[in-house]
Amino acid sequence: MAEFTAVVHGAAEVATATGGLGSDDPAGIVEDGSIAVVDGAVAAVGPTDEVTREYPPENAAHEVDASGQAVIPGYVDSHTHACFAGDRADEFEAKLRGTTYGELLASGGGIHRTVRATRAASDDELLGDLLDHLDVMVAHGTTTVEVKSGYGLDTETELRMLDVVDRADDRHPVDVVATFMGAHAVPRDYGDPGGDGTSGTGAPVDADDYVDRVVDEQLPAVVDQGVAEFCDVFCDEGAFTVDQSRRVLRAGAERGLTPKVHAEELAHRGGAKLAAEVGAASADHLLHATDEDVAALVAAGVTPVLLPGTAFGLGADYADARAMVEAGAPVAVATDFNPNCHSQSVGFASALACVEMGLTPAEALIAGTKHAALALDRTDGLGTLREGAPGDAVVLAAPSHVHIPYQYGTNVVDAVLKDGSVVSTPTHESYDREVQP
């Protein structure tokens, strides 16, 4: 037989993530399992003796002996803000002393502080930092990641951020999906005397006026650039109202950008029902979502994306994942990696989802893989290990997917395959990440 891309064989279990919520086996376990990848896609998955008979390991460009180990699909991190500059560790400490997130925003901190740092950074600095973050993500098993803009809040910087995201997608084995989020916050420095953006406590900005600029200036430029796939908006207390958010999302949809909504994170403001109304790909956060909100999302086919790392970092209550699962919602889990939630590990988010939000390990697995792909409108089998799906797989240094939440605080990933090629192991990088002009 001619050489093919990869075979991972002899696994204690292959968790295919092909089961559904409420099934007896949502993780889709194949014991003593193997997978074969040909031309970047899964060609076979099943018992080792069957797969290796058709795809002998000695003929594979990449052979991985997974004896005694578990294999899962590559994680799909469907909500991050991974393109940014600066550091807010002191704000984490301030929150531990009782300072609220709202108080940090009001003083020019939070998002506004990161906006100032991001505007001041060069493109190569932003790209280098983003590649560093992607290195950590892939080492923790992520093979597809969504990255939002939103730390520019002006046309020039939003475009720069999206260009950096696009360049990172070209240079890194992880697939990077771009989302435009000019409506992340109303920029406090908009209208500063001098307009240099160095102050975070400038003259108050009219939110409707800023929405005008997002709709009339930023969105057309973003669409012309052709990088972003989604348009997101922060519909919440202290950010944008339902009416303002609706205007941005509809304008984006008219220009071909699929809606997403940050909803019900800090308070209940109607963002979840707006997501259902506009047919968003996802509604994210949902800490304050009601049963009616969840029913509306399920009826509209909107994927709820839960971000337990954010609640952990804020010391806030967690979203009720158990209730959403019981309502039939395809719950997804993501990291929300950003300067206010500094974790790049979907595995850690999965552990929190189990301990604090009521998911089982199998439900957390499909939340970070199969369902997370739904939040990005991916219907090609991404996030599963089935025939025809992308050949993205993670070999664990553990015998079962249950060890992901069980060994919380540690990285149980042993090797990562992207399109069938080994792209990460504990001991080396296998791609050229040099930043080129």
Side-chain angles (χ1 to χ4, degrees):
M1 169 181 271
E3 183 179 90
F4 52 92
T5 308
V7 62
V8 180
H9 60 91
E13 69 170 34
V14 176
T16 64
T18 54
L21 292 174
S23 70
D24 293 336
D25 181 20
I29 299 296
V30 178
E31 295 181 351
D32 185 17
S34 296
I35 63 169
V37 180
V38 176
D39 295 330
V42 176
V45 56
T48 290
D49 59 348
E50 295 179 9
V51 173
T52 57
R53 189 181 309 121
E54 184 175 1
Y55 297 94
E58 60 269 20
N59 289 347
H62 298 268
E63 177 196 355
V64 179
D65 182 349
S67 299
Q69 299 176 275
V71 179
I72 66 171
Y75 282 125
V76 180
D77 195 348
S78 60
H79 182 128
T80 84
H81 302 259
C83 183
F84 63 87
D87 177 293
R88 284 165 34 199
D90 57 326
E91 293 187 3
F92 175 77
E93 185 177 21
K95 286 182 290 183
L96 296 177
R97 295 195 302 266
T99 305
T100 68
Y101 184 65
E103 289 169 342
L104 290 170
L105 284 174
S107 66
I111 292 172
H112 307 299
R113 180 176 178 183
T114 303
V115 167
R116 297 193 298 277
T118 302
R119 288 180 177 180
S122 71
D123 291 1
D124 282 350
E125 287 171 334
L126 292 174
L127 179 58
D129 287 347
L130 177 53
L131 291 171
D132 287 343
H133 299 321
L134 293 175
D135 285 348
V136 177
M137 289 176 176
V138 73
H140 284 76
T142 294
T143 52
T144 300
V145 60
E146 183 254 21
V147 178
K148 306 177 192 293
S149 67
Y151 292 127
L153 308 186
D154 60 29
T155 302
E156 177 186 358
T157 316
E158 291 293 309
L159 293 177
R160 287 177 55 218
M161 290 185 69
L162 291 169
D163 181 65
V164 165
V165 170
D166 191 46
R167 290 169 65 191
D169 183 45
D170 287 341
R171 285 162 173 74
H172 204 282
V174 170
D175 283 335
V176 186
V177 179
T179 293
F180 165 63
M181 198 176 178
H184 194 190
V186 179
R188 291 287 301 274
D189 57 357
Y190 186 76
D192 275 355
D196 61 2
T198 58
S199 169
T201 56
V205 178
D206 182 83
D208 287 326
D209 179 61
Y210 180 65
V211 168
D212 287 343
R213 290 184 175 267
V214 172
V215 170
D216 298 334
E217 297 178 14
Q218 294 181 23
L219 266 170
V222 165
V223 171
D224 285 346
Q225 182 188 40
V227 172
E229 182 175 342
F230 297 94
C231 176
D232 203 343
V233 63
F234 192 3
C235 180
D236 214 319
E237 183 177 74
F240 297 93
T241 67
V242 167
D243 288 342
Q244 291 164 343
S245 300
R246 180 186 292 110
R247 186 174 170 219
V248 171
L249 295 174
R250 284 184 172 173
E254 289 169 359
R255 293 172 169 85
L257 301 182
T258 302
K260 282 178 167 288
V261 185
H262 282 52
E264 328 301 2
E265 177 189 2
L266 304 176
H268 188 269
R269 288 293 184 268
K273 287 186 176 178
L274 174 63
E277 174 192 327
V278 300
S282 68
D284 302 32
H285 285 292
L286 302 174
L287 277 65
H288 298 278
T290 65
D291 291 344
E292 284 188 1
D293 294 331
V294 175
L297 295 176
V298 171
V302 178
T303 301
V305 178
L306 307 185
L307 307 165
T310 309
F312 178 82
L314 292 173
D317 292 335
Y318 290 78
D320 191 349
R322 182 82 258 141
M324 294 182 193
V325 169
E326 292 174 357
V331 171
V333 168
T335 64
D336 193 22
F337 171 60
N338 70 77
N340 191 49
C341 180
H342 210 286
S343 172
Q344 299 102 320
S345 171
V346 178
F348 177 64
S350 299
L352 291 177
C354 291
V355 175
E356 299 287 358
M357 299 168 67
L359 295 186
T360 67
E363 289 168 342
L365 174 70
I366 63 175
T369 54
K370 176 184 177 181
H371 291 168
L374 295 178
L376 297 179
D377 278 350
R378 298 307 194 259
T379 58
D380 60 352
L382 183 69
T384 69
L385 292 173
R386 62 166 174 79
E387 289 187 21
D392 302 346
V394 176
V395 182
L396 304 179
S400 165
H401 69 281
V402 178
H403 279 254
I404 299 168
Y406 171 61
Q407 295 190 37
Y408 56 87
T410 62
N411 183 17
V412 296
V413 171
D414 187 39
V416 181
L417 286 81
K418 179 67 183 174
D419 298 326
S421 296
V422 176
V423 295
S424 180
T425 72
T427 57
H428 77 282
E429 295 176 354
S430 57
Y431 75 100
D432 182 5
R433 57 149 296 167
E434 182 178 353
V435 175
Q436 300 293 334

